Amino acid sequence: QVRLVESGGGLVQAGGSLRLSCAASGSISSISVMGWYRQAPGKQRELVATITVGGLKNYGDSAKDRFTISRDNARNTVYLQMKSLKPEDTAVYYCNLKNWGITLRTYDDSWGQGTQVTVSS
């Protein structure tokens, strides 16, 4: 059983910065993808960024050029550095872990409890 615990959310002013952390514990595959998704009230959950064990990154359109994802494999921790924050970034941010099987056909999906990010104008 995998557990994900997010931290670092809070209230910031527009244009400010915030760094989110997510620590994973349990049975974590050597072939895994960790990432961040967010969900604002009345909106669907959307991709923010993902990163593989090897460091390959994928960003959603809202995160490009402003957010940076990184990963510490030794500590099973993923980070999201957010800069130039805008009010539309306000959402609950969820950490995600996908444990892929060796065949790369299927994966087990795990989610954290979420951390609130609020950006004031």
Side-chain angles (χ1 to χ4, degrees), residues 2-119:
V2 175
R3 291 185 180 274
L4 303 172
V5 181
E6 303 101 330
S7 62
L11 175 64
V12 297
Q13 291 183 318
S17 300
L18 206 61
R19 191 191 192 209
L20 305 182
S21 299
C22 173
S25 61
S27 299
I28 302 170
S29 173
S30 60
I31 310 171
S32 67
V33 179
M34 298 187 74
W36 294 92
Y37 295 74
R38 70 185 186 185
Q39 188 167 22
K43 298 185 66 178
Q44 199 156 288
R45 188 173 298 185
E46 65 174 352
L47 167 72
V48 178
T50 61
I51 184 170
T52 68
V53 172
L56 297 178
K57 303 172 183 179
N58 183 44
Y59 291 98
D61 290 338
S62 63
K64 291 179 179 177
D65 301 318
R66 297 189 299 120
F67 296 178
T68 302
I69 190 170
S70 61
R71 180 171 179 169
D72 185 339
N73 292 325
R75 291 178 168 83
N76 291 317
T77 301
V78 65
Y79 306 93
L80 184 69
Q81 179 66 54
M82 304 185 291
K83 299 179 179 179
S84 301
L85 284 163
K86 306 173 182 179
E88 52 261 43
D89 294 319
T90 296
V92 177
Y93 285 69
Y94 295 93
C95 182
N96 174 255
L97 172 68
K98 290 178 169 63
N99 275 333
W100 287 92
I102 191 65
T103 65
L104 297 180
R105 283 178 163 267
T106 60
Y107 60 84
D108 293 326
D109 213 10
S110 300
W111 295 90
Q113 80 283 0
T115 185
Q116 177 71 47
V117 172
T118 302
V119 184

